[in-house]
Structures are given as C-alpha cells and as structure tokens.
Amino acid sequence: MTAAFTRVPHPSLVTAADRAVLMEDPGFGRVFTDHMVTIRYTAGQGWHSHKVEPRGPIPLDPAASVLHYAQEIFEGMKAYKTDDGRVALFRPEQNARRFAASAERLAMPVLPEELFLEAVAELVKTDADWIPEGEGSLYLRPFMIATEAFLGVRAANEYLFVVLASPVGGYFKGGKNSVTIRVSEHYTRAARGGTGAAKCGGNYAASLIAQAEAVANGCDQVVFLDAAEGKWIEELGGMNVFFVFKDGSLQTPPLGGTILPGVTRASIIQLARDTGVTVREAPYAFEQWRADVASGEVVEAFACGTAAVLTAISKVVSPGGDFTIGDGKPGPVTTDMLGKLVGIQRGRVADPHNWVQTIIEA
Ligand code: COI
C-alpha cells in the first residue's frame, strides 16, 4: 500500500547558502528543514489528508485535548549518509512499532506501521539536502497530538500526526563523549501501571524538574531510581543505561513497564550477544553500583539512545557522595560498542541483522 501525499508548494525555500550556514554547527534540535509531513485522523473516517507541506505553525483550537490532558506521543530516529553515498534509516520499523504501542497506551488511534514508514521516508526524500555530511545526521521527530476541541476527559476523536526533520550533530553541548549524571532523590519517572514504557511527552514533562536539578548541580543528566523502593536504577532523563563489568559482561535495567524500550538499547544487547558477551537485563541497585565501582567490579558505564548514541558516564553525583568511573574518557568496551553501532549505521561494517534500510540509493 502506498499512500498518496499531496505536495503543498513551498513559497520560499531556504537558499543553499543559508542552509550551509545553518548546518555548520547545528547542535541538537535547533535547526529545522523546509518541510513537514502531516496526516489527520478523524473517528469514523480514519487517516486522511496526507500532506508534505512547508514546515510552519499548526493551527490549533485552544480547547484541543492535547493542551489540557496531554494526549501526545513521539518518536526519535535518524537518517544517515552512508560512506558509499546512500541515505539510510536504522531499524525504522522498530520506531513504527513502538509508536503504535505508545498510541495504544495513550488511548490514541494506531497509525499503521507502513504509513508511519512512508511518511518518514517521504520527508527524508523531500528534504534530503538537509542531511549533514560527516558524522552528523538528520534527526526525525514523528509525533501525534489530540486536536479535538473538547474539554471532557476522554480520548479525543481527532488527531494530527506530524513528522519534523532537524539536522543534528551530537546531543550533548560541545560534542562531549562522556557525561556526568545526578541521581534524583525526590522525583521518579514512572511507576507500575503508568506510562513509563510509552514515548509520551508527559514522561518528559515530569522529568524536567529533576533534569534541571541535575544541571543546577553541574551534571549533564538525571538518573532515576524506581518509584516503589527508590533503590533500583531505571534510566536517565532521555536515555537508557548500561554497566560494564570487569569480566566483560554487560548489565542494563530490565524492561517491565517503567523503562523506555530503546532501539539503541535493544541493538547493543543484540550486538554484544552476537560476539558472545553476556548481557544481563536485571535490576541493579544504585548502592550496588557505587560499591561495584569502588571494588573495581564495574569498570565502565554508558548512556544510550537515538539522540545520545553511546555516551560514557564518567561521574555520578548523589546525596550519599559522588563517585567517578574510569579516567573521564570513554573506556574500551564503550568505545568498541559505539564503533560497531555507528559502523553499521554508516555502512562501514557488515549488517548481519539487516538493520539498515536504504531510503535513497547512491
Ligand atoms: C531520542 O533519543 O531520540 C530521544 O527521544 C531522547 C530525547 C532527545 C527526548
């Protein structure tokens, strides 16, 4: 099935010269391409009005449900230039699937996975001039909001799906390859039965105060502990976390409804297991982490996600005292895993699981 996207002409595309300036050092999420894809949903009619249109403000009734009850979900994915000149996406079907799961959790209509993929590919092809050369990429932000003007508390009957694109470099300022994190003693991210496994804006809204506290204390990211016992490490403000043990094994908190099932997380688990590395998806207590770093049992830790890719954790700040991991530089396991993942994404090394999907041929 191929959906027909109406193309709305752009009145004033950014010139090649201005685009080059914007893309010199884009940072993360500050620069946007010329177009966006939009698709509307109305109960009884289904998905309709597929468009590729100039990126711009969205007319929204002030009573739209999203503005009151936060019915919103999103995804994060990237289009890459491969070394042989193709444009590719990394496991986009995983994002489509997770978007569908998030929609179900937020009582929103499920966008067919095929349509999600077509919409993303359509925007990448339309705005291909915005894909950075070198190590940068085009970050894609599909999202869906409830647009029905209605103040009763129930799932809305009208929705808007949008895809935005943004040329990006590294997620962290200055392209740093290791970060410091601070454990939140007051705030949690998700509880049993909540929305922790869904990629919804509300989860991020709830994390912002803890993230701001981390930044106020000189750290890059917050790390959340579980809501029930305040003991087990869950995830960072916007990324999953892995621990590297001295025997070479890896450990990461298990999915169980309170943790975002990261595509990068799943890929790292697979790549490690492919080479015979033991990976435990098992609860890990924050105080155990501190003890294991002190005893030398844990030798590295890293954060991972589409935006962050793989970033070493060099220091942990907590009410019970701070501790450092390694010498402030990414350790060998973190570096090796980053190289493997980026190597596959850029077409530099074999892709045994067919994760890379070519959108534009060389
Ligand atoms: C991503 O890694 O794509 C995310 O969505 C994390 C954050 C930028 C919200």
Side-chain angles (χ1 to χ4, degrees):
M1 180 198 77
T2 312
F5 286 85
T6 303
R7 303 190 79 84
V8 182
H10 198 298
S12 56
L13 291 169
V14 172
T15 65
D18 286 348
R19 189 170 57 236
V21 172
L22 287 168
M23 288 172 66
E24 236 164 58
D25 181 20
F28 182 87
R30 289 191 287 111
V31 176
F32 296 94
T33 65
D34 288 309
H35 295 90
M36 62 185 183
V37 164
T38 58
I39 308 177
R40 292 195 175 265
Y41 177 92
T42 310
Q45 190 181 353
W47 296 99
H48 60 92
S49 307
H50 312 52
K51 283 185 198 162
V52 179
E53 57 183 298
R55 194 188 77 85
I58 300 167
L60 200 59
D61 193 291
S65 309
V66 65
L67 301 178
H68 302 272
Y69 310 125
Q71 248 192 315
E72 189 269 358
I73 57 170
F74 69 96
E75 271 301 319
M77 52 208 292
K78 283 175 173 170
Y80 305 87
K81 280 218 170 117
T82 61
D83 283 6
D84 60 3
R86 288 173 293 130
V87 173
L89 295 172
F90 183 71
R91 310 188 73 182
E93 74 293 343
Q94 297 297 318
N95 297 94
R97 197 169 299 163
R98 187 171 63 186
F99 195 68
S102 298
E104 279 180 4
R105 179 62 185 84
L106 274 283
M108 299 168 97
V110 169
L111 182 74
E113 291 175 24
E114 242 174 83
L115 188 51
F116 176 101
L117 296 172
E118 274 179 52
V120 166
E122 201 69 34
L123 187 61
V124 172
K125 285 181 198 160
T126 303
D127 282 339
D129 287 343
W130 289 89
I131 307 172
E133 301 290 339
E135 294 307 304
S137 54
L138 188 66
Y139 186 77
L140 299 158
R141 174 51 64 88
F143 69 97
M144 187 188 349
I145 56 173
T147 52
E148 186 187 4
F150 178 64
L151 296 182
V153 181
R154 61 146 168 79
N157 285 318
E158 290 167 21
Y159 295 86
L160 175 66
F161 170 74
V162 184
V163 190
L164 302 176
S166 167
V168 298
Y171 183 73
F172 294 106
K173 250 199 197 123
K176 56 166 88 169
N177 57 9
S178 77
V179 291
T180 56
I181 65 174
R182 178 178 185 272
V183 67
S184 180
E185 66 268 50
H186 295 307
Y187 302 108
T188 59
R189 180 185 168 278
R192 191 170 62 85
T195 57
K199 204 159 175 66
C200 59
N203 287 346
Y204 294 80
S207 78
L208 296 180
I209 188 167
Q211 175 64 22
E213 272 185 359
V215 171
N217 282 275
C219 291
D220 299 294
Q221 276 280 306
V222 58
V223 55
F224 287 108
L225 305 181
D226 74 291
E229 295 178 73
K231 173 175 177 184
W232 309 100
I233 301 164
E234 297 237 298
E235 65 182 88
L236 309 192
M239 45 211 79
N240 295 120
V241 60
F242 277 81
F243 309 96
V244 183
F245 286 70
K246 73 172 184 222
D247 66 359
S249 64
L250 299 181
Q251 186 156 336
T252 191
L255 303 180
T258 58
I259 288 181
L260 190 82
V263 178
T264 311
R265 175 189 180 279
S267 305
I268 289 166
I269 292 172
Q270 183 69 57
L271 289 176
R273 287 182 179 156
D274 284 353
T275 52
V277 170
T278 299
V279 185
R280 292 177 297 278
E281 292 182 75
Y284 193 44
F286 181 74
E287 289 306 326
Q288 189 63 46
W289 186 17
R290 184 200 304 281
D292 285 346
V293 169
S295 71
E297 192 61 31
V298 162
V299 290
E300 297 176 39
F302 58 83
C304 67
T306 298
V309 197
L310 246 88
T311 308
I313 296 168
S314 57
K315 184 178 176 190
V316 183
V317 171
S318 82
D322 306 347
F323 57 98
T324 55
I325 308 163
D327 59 4
K329 295 195 207 80
V333 174
T334 304
T335 305
D336 179 60
M337 193 51 82
L338 175 64
K340 277 192 180 126
L341 190 68
V342 172
I344 293 174
Q345 290 166 341
R346 300 285 173 176
R348 286 172 202 150
V349 302
D351 174 19
H353 302 287
N354 289 321
W355 284 343
V356 172
Q357 288 189 19
T358 301
I359 298 294
I360 305 174
E361 295 293 345

